[in-house]
Amino acid sequence: MSGKPTFEELEQKVRELERIASEYNRAEEARQECEERFRQLFENMSSGVAIYEAMDNGEDFVFKEFNKAAEKIEQVPKDELIGKSVADVFPGVVEFGLLNELRRVVATGVSVYRPMKFYKDQRIAGWRENTVYKLLSGDIVAIFEDFTQRKRVEAELKE
């Protein structure tokens, strides 16, 4: 015995490698389809979504993603805030209390619901409701709703 594989053994190995490559290709196609579904959902949902990367052990948070609804709600284009600190873009975030909630979620991993509260800075003001949670990647997600118009209507009805 020379230890060299036979032609049949090599042929079997090639078939096995082709099968593995085919499975890998199917899995990659499925991953891409899933990623595209997520992207479409993310961009077309009515809730605002901001995804942050925690910096300096959660002392600061930098925008990684911002969906179309968030752009509309906050009246700021995504490309003007990606890579920037949340406190720089939204200076009222400290007084609003969201910065502390982001920090709490980083530290504990426990999601937080923030009932409707009024946000204000020099650029924008309005009523927001937030849910904040941590992804397995460590990124922090804030999903939020704008209730400003509803509060206006309620105030008008009271008058």
Side-chain angles (χ1 to χ4, degrees):
M1 265 181 64
S2 66
K4 291 184 180 180
T6 65
F7 179 77
E8 289 80 21
E9 289 171 330
L10 289 173
E11 213 172 33
Q12 184 178 354
K13 287 287 185 191
V14 167
R15 281 192 300 273
E16 178 66 14
L17 289 172
E18 287 173 341
R19 184 189 63 76
I20 291 170
S22 178
E23 287 177 9
Y24 173 81
N25 289 337
R26 281 192 300 272
E28 179 61 19
E29 287 172 5
R31 184 196 63 76
Q32 288 174 355
E33 287 174 14
C34 184
E35 190 174 293
E36 180 58 27
R37 274 194 304 272
F38 164 77
R39 176 63 50 195
Q40 288 179 17
L41 172 68
F42 180 77
E43 287 301 335
N44 293 296
M45 62 193 298
S46 60
S47 299
V49 180
I51 302 176
Y52 306 97
E53 179 178 356
M55 307 299 284
D56 302 321
N57 295 318
E59 284 302 307
D60 195 9
F61 296 85
V62 171
F63 286 98
K64 287 183 77 173
E65 281 290 342
F66 207 63
N67 73 349
K68 289 178 185 176
E71 288 180 292
K72 182 178 177 184
I73 292 167
E74 302 302 351
Q75 301 172 23
V76 60
K78 173 181 173 176
D79 60 352
E80 287 185 16
L81 54 75
I82 297 299
K84 293 183 180 173
S85 163
V86 66
D88 290 345
V89 178
F90 297 101
V93 75
V94 173
E95 184 179 328
F96 183 61
L98 185 62
L99 189 59
N100 283 336
E101 299 296 1
L102 294 171
R103 289 175 177 154
R104 182 179 311 160
V105 171
V106 165
T108 66
V110 177
S111 64
V112 173
Y113 167 74
R114 287 189 44 82
M116 192 184 330
K117 187 173 177 182
F118 190 73
Y119 174 87
K120 182 177 177 156
D121 63 31
Q122 301 82 359
R123 189 183 58 77
I124 195 165
W127 292 91
R128 305 287 187 269
E129 177 183 84
N130 286 267
T131 299
V132 180
Y133 64 94
K134 187 176 185 178
L135 296 174
L136 290 176
S137 66
D139 290 338
I140 304 300
V141 177
I143 300 175
F144 56 97
E145 303 291 337
D146 180 11
F147 289 99
T148 307
Q149 185 61 30
R150 181 171 125 185
K151 292 296 260 184
R152 281 187 194 128
V153 169
E154 287 174 0
E156 289 172 7
L157 290 173
K158 284 182 182 179
E159 292 176 7

